Amino acid sequence: MPEVVDVDHVNHYFGDGHTRKQALFDCCLKVGPGELIIVTGPSGSGKTTLLTLIGALRSTTEGSNRVLGRELHGLPAHELVLVRRSIGFIFQMHNLFQSLTAHENVRMSIDLGRHTPREARELATDMLTKLGLGHRIHYKPNQLSGGQRQRVAIARALVNRPRLILADEPTAALDKKSSRDVVEMLKAQTREERATILMVTHDSRILDVADRIINMVDGAIESDVVVDDAIRICEILKKSEIFQKLSPTELLNIAQKMKKETYAAGTTVIRQGDAGDKFYIIGNGTVDVLIDGDAARSSGKTIRSLGGGDFFGEKALITGEPRSASIVATSTLTVYFLDQADFHSALAASDSFNEQIRKIAFQR
Amino acid sequence: MRVPLAWRNIAHERGRAAIGIAGMTFAIVLIFLQLGFYGAIIIGSTQVYDQLAGDLVIVSREYSFIHSPRSFPKARLQQALGARDVLTVRPLYIGATTWRNPATGLKNSVMLIAFDPRRPVFSTPSINAHLTELRHSDTVLVDSDTREKYGPRSAGDTIELAGRRVHIADQYRLGTSFVELAMIVLSDQNFVRVLHGSLDDVAVGVIRLRTGADPAAAARELRSRLPADVEVWTREQFRAHEVRHVLLLTSTGMIFGSGVLVAVIVGMVILYQTISTQIMSKLSEYATLKAIGYTPLEIVRIVLGQALFLSLIAFLPGLGLGLLLYDGVQKSAFLPMVMPAGRIIGVLLLVVAMSIASGLLAYRKVHVANPADLF
């Protein structure tokens, strides 16, 4: 999967001669499709500068800055303008056109593409309706509340379905409810359109939606951390057949609820006939699947062996019947498991996960 | 249709737009007025000659313009008569004297135009209707545009020209000019009585050709036939000479020409101020345009659109006020103020050019709008 943003050893300077000041120091950052990255850091730490370089709003002068597959370093100004058309921008101050209605504000973005007037009108109406502003499309910015204005600005940024969205403090001027709405809309965009979002924010209320949090200090990327260990589980989950089609967010949701267990070789993980209470993914190691064995010893018939990325234990959870087979570790085994309640809530939360797992469960 | 941002911006800030439109209207009225005066000079410089009933004219080699014609010997007219295609050759006399206002006692200059009433040279009906009366001694016709300061000037009044009392038979309509505020038409005999001059000194010889004759060819033939102390012109050459003289050799052309220039500059400054103030107040919106991918060309179009909307809105009231002023000047100053269609189109094009120029100047302010500052 090509990176949406690939910043490699970027330095940036402001001013010339004696007043020349370095603003970015050897920044490296890779962001993939569907990722929501939050960039934090004290003011003057260079996060805005980094965002403006990625957004083709400034010329990259040192290092490689590939955005949407295009190298921005050395690109002339008139090319940078065209790159910006593929990026959705959301500003702290909504920066709507005061003389235009919400509908016309959104159409200003649509006008940059090739659409018939009818298509343009429909696109704008649909996008505003989707953001809950269907009843306000012909209002001007000064007739809208702060939250509504920011939603219009988001509609303008999203209406061309950009693969990359750059947002600067999009919730700074909003109350708690509006901030949450705005963040959920953006998060939905990463799920539904696999859009990549880079968001500069100090708003701790919204950190939970991030896939990664990047912290910048004095012009350098100080840390680039996954939201928690769950991402590591995601890496394993991603290799598994049933999770391949899930978005990073869905994976993360599941992974965050998983717990890790380690078994020595020869340990029985599941006993046939027991009540099912956990769903397992194999992180490392191998197991044998046995049926009709002695309850005390694993002397049954081995019907299958499983390895890393494989999973087991789902059927009993779905059907409510006792375990239909025993699982015995054949090497040192690391598994991640979901308990019954989390398993069911994961099924409920993700249509794709539900569909995928039921299909596989009933094929066996 | 794209979102008409330029129009919306103007409609959104009506106060600012109104000031710009008012300023531009003022400039347009000023342009029309200056051009009206300019046009009046041209019309005024030729309106007497335009009424001559002839195809060619003979003037002195030293002829300058209507108010300084110099004269040539009457014998040249006889010589011209011998040429092929020449039907008639009639003399026109031009002179100037003083006209005393009996109420104030002040003497003002008046232009005299004379011909033999038995051989009329004008095609003006209001002159030709009085040819018989003109033959009476000390009887004259007065131009109806003659100014009030000359005193009584109606039919039946008696006036004093160069100390000589003459009788006004009637008024005629031909028009005065910037230079002369009063004009009198009289017979050659009375002309000599008033000015004590000689009928041998002709100002303009008016030649009529046979029907179907080529004026240019006839003029060429006359030139070769006549001595070098006279010049033979077609009507068009005569007209062009008068216009060129008044526009180039007097300062009137330059005065009103520079008046137009000043009005253009005033209009552009007002337009520039209006647009650039608007840009500065909406700098973040222009930065946003840049950020979301509008190219400089597209932004120029928006800025120019605003300038054009403002000035085109101003054009209609500008034209309307201009026409009103023309009418007022015509009535009060007796100047031939007319509005040809070509002038309306010309000023419209000039206004478009002014909008583009001041729009482009104002566009430089957009450079200040840096999309990187929006973050």
Side-chain angles (χ1 to χ4, degrees):
Chain A
M1 189 70 83
E3 307 294 348
V4 175
V5 174
D6 188 353
V7 172
D8 198 23
H9 300 291
V10 161
N11 293 305
H12 196 77
Y13 307 86
F14 288 119
D16 300 301
H18 297 305
T19 62
R20 187 166 125 129
K21 192 171 174 298
Q22 188 160 1
L24 291 181
F25 294 84
D26 201 34
C27 290
C28 299
L29 175 67
K30 282 182 177 18
V31 189
E35 280 194 279
L36 196 162
I37 312 286
I38 282 181
V39 185
T40 63
S43 60
S45 59
K47 53 190 191 304
T48 299
T49 306
L50 183 61
L51 214 60
T52 55
L53 289 177
I54 293 170
L57 297 168
R58 280 184 209 284
S59 295
T60 306
T61 49
E62 268 188 44
S64 163
N65 178 17
R66 292 187 73 82
V67 174
L68 297 169
R70 196 118 192 238
E71 176 57 69
L72 302 190
H73 182 169
L75 218 53
H78 64 271
E79 297 273 358
L80 290 176
V81 173
L82 300 180
V83 170
R84 297 204 284 268
R85 294 186 176 189
S86 321
I87 301 173
F89 292 96
I90 302 167
F91 310 104
Q92 178 175 0
M93 303 307 293
H94 50 79
N95 281 317
L96 296 175
F97 301 102
Q98 294 294 323
S99 64
L100 302 182
T101 63
H103 195 253
E104 290 170 329
N105 264 288
V106 176
R107 273 170 56 201
M108 286 302 288
S109 274
I110 303 174
D111 281 352
L112 288 166
R114 291 201 185 90
H115 296 279
T116 66
R118 188 198 168 89
E119 281 170 0
R121 282 197 303 274
E122 285 174 0
L123 272 173
T125 306
D126 290 351
M127 182 52 78
L128 285 166
T129 308
K130 192 174 155 197
L131 296 188
L133 287 170
H135 60 306
R136 288 280 188 275
I137 60 174
H138 296 307
Y139 283 57
K140 287 191 177 163
N142 59 11
Q143 299 167 308
L144 298 171
S145 70
Q148 288 170 333
R149 280 177 219 165
Q150 194 58 294
R151 274 188 275 167
V152 175
I154 289 172
R156 180 175 69 188
L158 301 189
V159 71
N160 287 336
R161 296 161 154 248
R163 287 169 54 212
L164 174 61
I165 296 162
L166 302 179
D168 181 47
E169 302 275 7
T171 60
L174 303 180
D175 59 31
K176 189 177 174 191
K177 168 80 170 64
S178 302
S179 316
R180 182 45 64 179
D181 287 349
V182 161
V183 166
E184 292 299 334
M185 281 168 205
L186 292 176
K187 190 71 184 167
Q189 203 68 13
T190 63
R191 281 194 300 265
E192 292 160 20
E193 304 280 349
R194 309 261 307 142
T196 300
I197 299 181
L198 263 83
M199 190 188 321
V200 165
T201 189
H202 288 108
D203 189 347
S204 58
R205 298 172 301 189
I206 60 171
L207 292 179
D208 58 302
V209 296
D211 295 314
R212 281 154 65 188
I213 296 176
I214 288 169
N215 189 35
M216 291 190 70
V217 175
D218 293 337
I221 294 177
E222 176 102 333
S223 62
D224 177 355
V225 292
V226 291
V227 171
D228 58 30
D229 262 346
I231 284 292
R232 237 166 283 144
I233 302 175
C234 285
E235 291 300 318
I236 295 158
L237 295 188
K238 259 198 269 189
K239 291 175 193 135
S240 165
E241 188 187 359
I242 55 163
F243 296 106
Q244 270 171 2
K245 291 201 176 159
L246 299 199
S247 77
T249 311
E250 287 168 323
L251 275 178
L252 186 62
N253 280 339
I254 292 167
Q256 274 175 330
K257 290 169 184 157
M258 286 194 137
K259 293 180 184 69
K260 189 161 99 175
E261 268 178 357
T262 310
Y263 296 91
T267 318
T268 301
V269 183
I270 284 180
R271 209 174 296 279
Q272 187 177 5
D274 283 0
D277 61 351
K278 285 172 182 170
F279 163 73
Y280 295 88
I281 298 275
I282 300 171
N284 250 317
T286 54
V287 297
D288 281 347
V289 182
L290 302 96
I291 51 171
D292 301 323
D294 169 17
R297 289 292 305 163
S298 52
S299 58
K301 190 170 80 177
T302 300
I303 56 165
R304 197 184 295 129
S305 287
L306 300 174
D310 289 338
F311 59 93
F312 55 88
E314 82 285 355
K315 194 165 182 182
L317 293 179
I318 295 170
T319 61
E321 291 164 10
R323 295 293 192 192
S324 57
S326 298
I327 304 287
V328 176
T330 49
S331 64
T332 303
L333 178 70
T334 309
V335 291
Y336 299 98
F337 68 89
L338 275 178
D339 62 34
Q340 196 162 7
D342 287 333
F343 180 76
H344 283 292
S345 68
L347 284 185
S350 167
D351 288 343
S352 47
F353 180 55
N354 193 348
E355 179 190 62
Q356 196 78 3
I357 205 153
R358 279 177 189 279
K359 196 170 94 195
I360 293 168
F362 291 103
Q363 273 170 358
R364 287 184 179 171
Chain B
M1 197 182 74
R2 288 174 148 227
V3 176
L5 180 61
W7 174 251
R8 289 283 191 277
N9 279 348
I10 285 173
H12 188 66
E13 296 189 311
R14 298 219 173 96
R16 183 173 291 151
I19 294 169
I21 290 168
M24 197 59 192
T25 301
F26 172 75
I28 291 169
V29 168
L30 215 55
I31 291 170
F32 273 128
L33 200 59
Q34 299 296 327
L35 289 176
F37 286 134
Y38 196 85
I41 300 170
I42 294 174
I43 295 171
S45 68
T46 61
Q47 60 191 359
V48 170
Y49 292 153
D50 283 345
Q51 292 295 315
L52 288 177
D55 305 298
L56 301 176
V57 293
I58 303 177
V59 292
S60 161
R61 168 69 66 189
E62 289 167 359
Y63 177 88
S64 174
F65 75 126
I66 189 164
H67 297 292
S68 179
R70 307 300 157 89
S71 57
F72 61 88
K74 198 174 181 180
R76 302 284 172 270
L77 299 185
Q78 291 301 322
Q79 290 170 290
L81 203 50
R84 195 162 48 89
D85 287 341
V86 173
L87 202 60
T88 61
V89 183
R90 295 177 177 177
L92 178 74
Y93 302 93
I94 296 173
T97 186
T98 55
W99 176 340
R100 183 173 170 274
N101 182 338
T104 61
L106 289 177
K107 289 178 178 172
N108 292 298
S109 122
V110 56
M111 181 174 172
L112 303 181
I113 292 182
F115 59 91
D116 180 352
R118 290 165 305 179
R119 303 166 69 205
V121 295
F122 285 105
S123 54
T124 317
S126 54
I127 293 175
N128 292 342
H130 299 288
L131 293 176
T132 322
E133 288 139 286
L134 280 178
R135 291 165 68 177
H136 300 162
S137 64
D138 296 328
T139 301
V140 300
L141 296 175
V142 174
D143 193 293
S144 55
D145 278 356
T146 297
R147 308 297 197 276
E148 196 169 355
K149 68 173 182 180
Y150 288 85
R153 58 199 185 287
S154 309
D157 288 336
T158 299
I159 57 171
E160 211 181 291
L161 292 183
R164 190 179 183 91
R165 295 173 67 82
V166 298
H167 173 74
I168 297 178
D170 204 349
Q171 294 194 335
Y172 70 92
R173 290 190 55 80
L174 214 157
T176 51
S177 71
F178 278 97
V179 187
E180 288 296 344
L181 305 178
M183 265 188 17
I184 276 174
V185 166
L186 69 175
S187 71
D188 50 354
Q189 298 302 324
N190 287 326
F191 182 75
V192 172
R193 283 190 191 103
V194 171
L195 291 186
H196 308 291
S198 158
L199 286 183
D200 193 45
D201 298 331
V202 178
V204 179
V206 182
I207 298 174
R208 286 186 68 182
L209 299 175
R210 274 178 241 284
T211 318
D214 174 18
R220 271 197 302 279
E221 192 195 328
L222 282 169
R223 262 175 231 133
S224 61
R225 177 184 278 264
L226 296 176
D229 60 347
V230 293
E231 184 61 74
V232 182
W233 284 330
T234 62
R235 290 189 73 113
E236 291 70 36
Q237 288 171 325
F238 196 23
R239 204 167 195 285
H241 175 92
E242 289 300 301
V243 171
R244 194 169 58 241
H245 179 91
V246 76
L247 291 188
L248 300 182
L249 301 183
T250 70
S251 50
T252 40
M254 211 185 79
I255 288 167
F256 296 114
S258 55
V260 170
L261 189 68
V262 168
V264 166
I265 291 170
V266 166
M268 280 180 55
V269 167
I270 291 171
L271 213 51
Y272 168 79
Q273 278 298 338
T274 310
I275 303 292
S276 59
T277 314
Q278 189 259 23
I279 290 173
M280 292 314 279
S281 78
K282 286 181 180 291
L283 216 49
S284 69
E285 294 189 14
Y286 283 93
T288 305
L289 281 175
K290 290 183 178 179
I292 67 180
Y294 276 78
T295 60
L297 198 67
E298 286 162 328
I299 299 174
V300 163
R301 262 178 32 192
I302 291 169
V303 173
L304 290 188
Q306 288 173 166
L308 278 170
F309 277 129
L310 284 179
S311 51
L312 291 181
I313 292 171
F315 187 76
L316 276 182
L319 177 60
L321 283 173
L323 286 168
L324 278 178
L325 276 176
Y326 276 25
D327 196 49
V329 170
Q330 174 117 37
K331 284 192 174 122
S332 60
F334 301 100
L335 291 176
M337 304 285 276
V338 293
M339 182 74 83
R343 185 179 298 160
I344 299 177
I345 294 166
V347 172
L348 185 60
L349 293 178
L350 179 64
V351 164
V352 168
M354 287 162 66
S355 312
I356 291 172
S358 43
L360 288 177
L361 282 175
Y363 171 74
R364 296 183 312 167
K365 298 275 183 198
V366 176
H367 293 315
V368 183
N370 184 356
D373 292 342
L374 292 173
F375 273 149

